[in-house]
Amino acid sequence: MRQLSLADRGQSLNLDKIVDDGPLPTCLGVARLGSLQTAGTTFTVWMQLRGSAWVESKEGKFRLRQREWIAFEKESKPMIQAGRDGLCIGLSLTPDALRALGELADCSLYAGRGSMSRSEVRVALRLWRDALASGQPAQALRPVLLHLASLQRALANGVQRCPGRSRIRKRQVFGRMQRARLYLEGNSHRVVRIGELAELTNFSSWYLSKTFQSLYEESPQSLSARLRLERAADLLRDTDMMIGEVAAASGFDNCCSFARAFRARYGQSASGFRETGGIVPPKSAKSSVASRK
């Protein structure tokens, strides 16, 4: 049984092609321009240890920077492409492994993304290596899974705010809401329709909007607008793209609507934002509710 799949130095691996050859490896890794396509039968978690990586999945496209983590449901099938100096490690978790985690520790893992401290990165790497070195990583997963669950502690606090008569149902609803949020983050280059999120989560548009607002204290439309403006700010700060190109790359139909929304959000024009190196004047950033397409 293969315990590790590592794509290094430009190598490309597709785990979907080895599904019929036996159990999938539990420990994954990509490094130095390597790429790895995960299978659609496992929940996957990725942690960026060095450099950066690009991730493409059913939920969209993401940039993964050093000390960030991202998790996907099994249907997402993320493809991880490491940067030139990038190193990213991951875990491929079967439904049985996730179920055992819930039974042993009364917790679960959810789709989403976040950041880690340096100490949390060191612990994650040590536990990942321990699971691999054990020779039976599936049986040695509990410590690293508990560590990952601790990284998601802030997310898990939202479970109790989800509708449902049982904790299992609340977790199911929260997991789908997290996937909807991840979809918005992965599509910050365009306007996302509520119908897309409803189809992704298998909820009605009304139920999705109401639950999302209650859980995150922000509507899907407001979050989408905020994420698009944050993307625009990153492009203004990190690239030489023209203002019109930034507007188009952030899902705005024209420069006028972009200019109004950007000033409402950041208290200054896009050109002024670029001239100051992305420094926002104190108290000038507006609530995302005021951001409009």
Side-chain angles (χ1 to χ4, degrees), residues 219-284:
S219 70
Q221 297 94 328
S222 293
L223 176 58
S224 178
R226 176 165 65 82
L227 290 171
R228 288 161 54 213
L229 288 170
E230 289 176 357
R231 171 185 171 86
D234 287 340
L235 293 174
L236 289 169
R237 186 186 299 111
D238 301 332
T239 74
D240 296 324
M241 294 172 64
M242 298 178 63
I243 302 298
E245 294 173 330
V246 170
S250 305
F252 289 86
D253 293 333
N254 56 71
C255 290
C256 291
S257 62
F258 170 67
R260 288 193 300 270
F262 194 91
R263 183 177 289 276
R265 173 70 184 172
Y266 291 102
Q268 59 184 322
S269 67
S271 58
F273 180 88
R274 170 171 278 171
E275 289 172 0
T276 61
I279 299 176
V280 180
K283 300 183 180 180
S284 64

Side-chain angles (χ1 to χ4, degrees), residues 27-45:
C27 297
L28 311 173
V30 291
R32 294 173 292 189
L33 299 179
S35 65
L36 190 149
Q37 173 71 65
T38 59
T41 57
T42 59
F43 183 100
T44 53
V45 184

Side-chain angles (χ1 to χ4, degrees), residues 92-196:
S92 177
L93 307 172
T94 65
D96 288 342
L98 293 175
R99 191 178 305 113
L101 174 64
E103 292 173 352
L104 290 172
D106 191 30
C107 59
S108 188
L109 295 175
Y110 304 98
R113 60 189 306 199
S115 59
M116 300 174 284
S117 66
R118 294 183 184 276
S119 61
E120 288 171 336
V121 169
R122 288 194 293 268
V123 171
L125 178 58
R126 176 175 58 81
L127 295 176
W128 183 86
R129 285 173 169 169
D130 289 346
L132 180 61
S134 70
Q136 295 181 317
Q139 285 71 36
L141 278 178
R142 186 182 181 188
V144 67
L145 292 182
L146 290 175
H147 180 62
L148 292 172
S150 71
L151 296 178
Q152 292 195 349
R153 188 179 298 112
L155 294 181
N157 291 336
V159 172
Q160 289 303 318
R161 299 200 301 273
C162 288
R165 295 184 177 181
S166 67
R167 185 166 179 82
I168 292 178
R169 176 58 179 172
K170 288 177 180 289
R171 284 176 174 173
Q172 290 174 344
V173 173
F174 182 73
R176 296 189 198 182
M177 290 298 106
Q178 277 295 113
R179 194 173 185 193
R181 186 182 180 95
L182 197 62
Y183 187 89
L184 290 172
E185 294 180 3
N187 288 274
S188 60
H189 63 289
R190 65 181 183 89
V191 177
V192 176
R193 296 179 293 105
I194 291 295
E196 296 178 60

